[in-house]
Amino acid sequence: MTKSPNFDFNNDFPSDFTWGVATSSFQIEGAHDVDGKGPSIWDTFCKNKANIKDGSDGTVACDHYHRYREDVDIMASLGVDAYRFSLAWARVQPDGKGAWNEAGFGFYDRLLDALAEKNIRPHATLYHWDLPQGLQDDGGWLNRDTAHRFADYAHEVARRFGNRIEAIATHNEPWCTANLGYGNAQFAPGVVDLKQSIQVSHHLLLSHGLAMRAMREVGGAAQLGIVLNQWTADAASASEADRAMAEFEYARSVQWFMDPIFKGRYPELALRGHGANAPQVRDGDFDIIRQKIDFLGSNYYFRSWCSAANPPVPPPARHGVTDMGWEIFPEGLPELLIKLKAEYPDLPPVYITENGMANPDVVENGRVHDPARIAYVRSHLAALKEAIDAGVDVRGYFLWSLLDNFEWNSGYAKRFGIVHVDYATQQRTLKDSALWYREFIAARDNRIKT
């Protein structure tokens, strides 16, 4: 059988490798107050139009709540194996505590049915940043009790869906929840307080451990883990200041979340750097956090470029930048994964749970040409293959994102989707990158058949 040279390196991925797409609840669902859903901190955050660059909100988004069948049909047309999505906590428990909302669970029940009909495996995330406002009113993630409420929520989701979902992640990118939500106010709830952000990071980790325990009690077939945004930290020069900056950046970001889970402690370098802002940790907390996980989800978009100069020396950006202004650096992906494997001997199987790029896409004559995104994905898949060849146990790749969507404080101005969404009409248009991904997966399927 003759194969296109465009897909040659795909032939080397394991035949059971998972190819998927990813989304999150607040970014696509809309239906912000439908069927008993409670408000989330992002609903509140968006009410201040100054918080969102285009003054928009998530009240409608991609209207996925009403159009989920169309979106599942699109996934099926692409031939993906799996779909990563998140549950909106306030949809299934409006206040984050107390009564469950059966209508909210009903939506996810229907979504799981639709995925099962198309043989698409669900990978769920419990928390993708949309905390119920009721819990925020009680102190949010700064209140240690929220970690226990999260465990109650995790237990209920596992009880209902644990045998219908392939994998359940506790959190998506707790670094962002802490640092962007509480460190610089880019994200909800919009707090600027370094000490609070570091304490919040501890409570998020505690909630992860408590949720893992709660879900293990239920049993169920789902694999359990967490999704972290991760990067390499590269010094801009050989200067002592740049090297020290890079070492601290890696410690305060990647190791800060990995070490408690795999080593039962925080990295000493980061603790020293945080000084008086270091979190309050109770006896036994690390025993709770250090639960065995079945998988690690790693979200990779860019490296951290560390320059102590004033003004900072910019990265060479040899591959260009995305519409977010992020440096394209696929070389960092294998470097990161190989480093994690060396640092954490108990590292479980890894999934690349997000990877993709924002691009200023437009529909022209019914088509969306996005060659830059195709090049981005191709280069990162080739880089991922390097990590696999180096012995890292990577089991799957989820392209971010299936749909253009509400890109948090950027509003609708940044398009990450491989499917274009006209927000005025909700018309979906497969971009060239979606057609490329479909062919890429089909090349794998054809190899399995031959």
Side-chain angles (χ1 to χ4, degrees):
M1 178 180 176
T2 302
K3 301 182 181 68
S4 165
N6 290 333
F7 309 119
D8 276 355
F9 71 90
N10 182 48
N11 295 336
D12 294 325
F13 280 91
S15 60
D16 60 350
F17 194 82
T18 295
W19 297 104
V21 288
T23 66
S24 86
S25 53
F26 191 81
Q27 292 180 272
I28 68 166
E29 284 182 2
H32 72 111
D33 60 355
V34 170
D35 294 335
K37 179 186 174 294
S40 78
I41 57 174
W42 272 94
D43 290 308
T44 303
F45 192 67
C46 290
K47 286 181 179 177
N48 181 348
K49 297 302 182 184
N51 288 332
I52 312 299
K53 290 176 183 176
D54 63 1
S56 63
D57 57 45
T59 56
V60 177
C62 304
D63 197 30
H64 174 75
Y65 187 82
H66 298 109
R67 298 170 184 267
Y68 71 93
R69 287 194 176 277
E70 177 186 358
D71 294 335
V72 171
D73 286 344
I74 289 172
M75 294 179 225
S77 78
L78 298 177
V80 297
D81 306 307
Y83 172 47
R84 177 177 174 248
F85 65 98
S86 72
L87 287 82
W89 188 351
R91 193 176 296 287
V92 300
Q93 193 180 32
D95 294 320
K97 56 189 174 183
W100 304 107
N101 179 26
E102 293 303 325
F105 275 118
F107 167 69
Y108 296 109
D109 187 65
R110 295 190 298 274
L111 174 63
L112 292 175
D113 282 346
L115 293 168
E117 288 171 10
K118 301 296 186 179
N119 295 313
I120 298 171
R121 300 191 295 272
H123 287 237
T125 302
L126 296 175
Y127 187 75
H128 201 126
W129 309 344
D130 46 353
L131 187 75
Q133 182 61 41
L135 289 181
Q136 186 63 35
D137 293 342
D138 292 337
W141 287 112
L142 195 60
N143 181 353
R144 186 181 170 97
D145 185 65
T146 299
H148 295 276
R149 303 290 71 76
F150 181 70
D152 295 341
Y153 161 55
H155 184 278
E156 185 65 11
V157 172
R159 185 186 72 81
R160 292 174 181 251
F161 298 144
N163 287 317
R164 298 175 62 194
I165 294 177
E166 179 92 358
I168 301 175
T170 53
H171 285 276
N172 177 80
E173 300 184 350
W175 183 96
C176 290
T177 302
N179 288 277
L180 304 185
Y182 285 83
N184 63 15
Q186 265 185 253
F187 286 2
V191 176
V192 181
D193 189 308
L194 178 59
K195 187 175 181 65
Q196 286 191 25
S197 74
I198 295 170
Q199 188 63 48
V200 162
S201 72
H202 180 68
H203 290 163
L204 291 164
L205 281 162
L206 182 68
S207 77
H208 159 75
L210 290 168
M212 291 294 292
R213 282 186 174 179
M215 291 189 289
R216 296 282 188 213
E217 287 174 5
V218 175
Q223 297 288 292
L224 307 179
I226 190 170
V227 171
L228 305 175
N229 52 323
Q230 300 180 313
W231 47 76
T232 57
D234 294 349
S237 75
S239 74
E240 184 177 340
D242 285 358
R243 290 201 307 270
M245 186 178 181
E247 289 173 4
F248 179 68
E249 168 61 22
Y250 188 77
R252 68 173 284 273
S253 56
V254 176
Q255 291 176 328
W256 186 258
F257 292 95
M258 291 289 285
D259 279 16
I261 294 171
F262 291 101
K263 298 180 178 180
R265 58 174 173 76
Y266 284 116
E268 187 59 36
L269 176 60
L271 283 175
R272 287 200 309 271
H274 289 324
N277 291 320
Q280 293 181 347
V281 179
R282 296 184 186 177
D283 289 345
D285 279 4
F286 287 121
D287 292 332
I288 295 170
I289 295 169
R290 194 179 183 178
Q291 301 297 307
K292 177 183 179 294
I293 61 175
D294 301 319
F295 71 92
L296 172 68
S298 181
N299 293 354
Y300 178 82
Y301 289 99
F302 49 75
R303 64 174 168 178
S304 179
W305 179 257
C306 301
S307 171
N310 189 14
V313 175
R318 64 179 70 99
H319 304 292
V321 297
T322 72
D323 199 31
M324 296 292 289
W326 299 344
E327 180 195 13
I328 299 171
F329 193 70
E331 295 92 333
L333 180 54
E335 180 183 339
L336 168 71
L337 295 175
I338 292 166
K339 187 172 185 176
L340 293 179
K341 184 177 187 293
E343 287 185 3
Y344 304 97
D346 297 330
L347 190 71
V350 176
Y351 289 84
I352 302 304
T353 33
E354 288 183 28
N355 176 247
M357 74 175 289
N359 200 54
D361 303 315
V362 293
V363 179
E364 297 177 331
N365 299 318
R367 293 288 299 274
V368 180
H369 302 297
D370 57 344
R373 181 175 289 108
I374 295 172
Y376 180 100
V377 175
R378 272 191 54 82
S379 65
H380 283 78
L381 290 182
L384 180 58
K385 185 60 175 54
E386 290 182 21
I388 294 172
D389 290 344
V392 184
D393 185 5
V394 184
R395 300 285 179 89
Y397 174 90
F398 290 81
L399 206 166
W400 184 273
S401 175
L402 173 68
L403 302 171
D404 290 336
N405 53 50
F406 180 79
E407 185 47 42
W408 308 112
N409 65 322
S410 295
Y412 296 99
K414 305 300 182 184
R415 294 181 176 270
F416 274 89
I418 58 173
V419 176
H420 182 276
V421 177
D422 181 327
Y423 297 111
T425 65
Q426 293 296 336
Q427 175 70 36
R428 273 77 159 141
T429 303
L430 271 64
K431 303 178 187 180
D432 286 358
S433 55
L435 305 178
W436 179 90
Y437 198 43
R438 177 165 65 192
E439 289 186 49
F440 182 85
I441 294 169
R444 181 278 310 262
D445 292 340
N446 289 333
R447 179 172 63 87
I448 293 172
K449 293 172 185 176
T450 56

